[in-house]
Amino acid sequence: METGKSPVEYLVDLYRDENADAKDRAWAANAAAPYMHPRIAPAASKVVLDLPDTSTPAGVKEAIGAVIKAVAAGEIAPAEGQHLVSIIEAQRKAIETTDLASRMEALVEALEAKEASSGRR
């Protein structure tokens, strides 16, 4: 590495060196291949799936069930199902966060009303 070559340049030089050991050349070619010929990422596919309304916790549960059913029936690939469930899970978290914020506001209002009625303020 004292030559200042990058690891890939070193590998390329090694697999092109006709005087090098054949096993070393094969190893270098194999190690350099992913950098020289990267795999093309698969194209994203459009998934069409009829899902229930996900604006409620019950709807989120039904939607996840529908995705699982579609995966089990072979209508969508497991990876696509996993992506859909992660989107539905984000919706569930948004519902949960909104619900918790509303509950906290109600508790604060109730506490303030109780304090005001008892004359503590």
Side-chain angles (χ1 to χ4, degrees):
M1 293 303 171
E2 305 85 38
T3 62
K5 293 181 182 177
S6 72
V8 174
E9 290 171 326
Y10 173 79
L11 292 170
V12 170
D13 286 349
L14 180 57
Y15 78 72
R16 288 182 178 166
D17 183 359
E18 294 179 7
N19 296 324
D21 183 0
K23 288 182 182 180
D24 291 340
R25 291 181 69 197
W27 170 83
N30 190 44
Y35 302 99
M36 307 293 288
H37 308 286
R39 292 183 180 176
I40 297 173
S45 61
K46 181 179 178 181
V47 175
V48 178
L49 191 60
D50 189 27
L51 295 176
D53 180 22
T54 59
S55 63
T56 65
V60 168
K61 180 181 174 187
E62 290 175 28
I64 291 173
V67 171
I68 292 169
K69 184 177 177 182
V71 170
E75 296 170 7
I76 61 173
E80 293 169 331
Q82 187 174 17
H83 289 299
L84 285 172
V85 168
S86 69
I87 293 168
I88 296 167
E89 176 64 11
Q91 173 71 351
R92 183 202 61 79
K93 288 178 181 179
I95 292 169
E96 181 180 54
T97 301
T98 303
D99 182 55
L100 287 173
S102 296
R103 288 180 182 202
M104 287 178 64
E105 287 174 13
L107 286 171
V108 167
E109 288 174 9
L111 182 61
E112 288 174 348
K114 184 177 179 180
E115 287 177 351
S117 68
S118 67
R120 291 188 180 173
R121 279 196 141 192

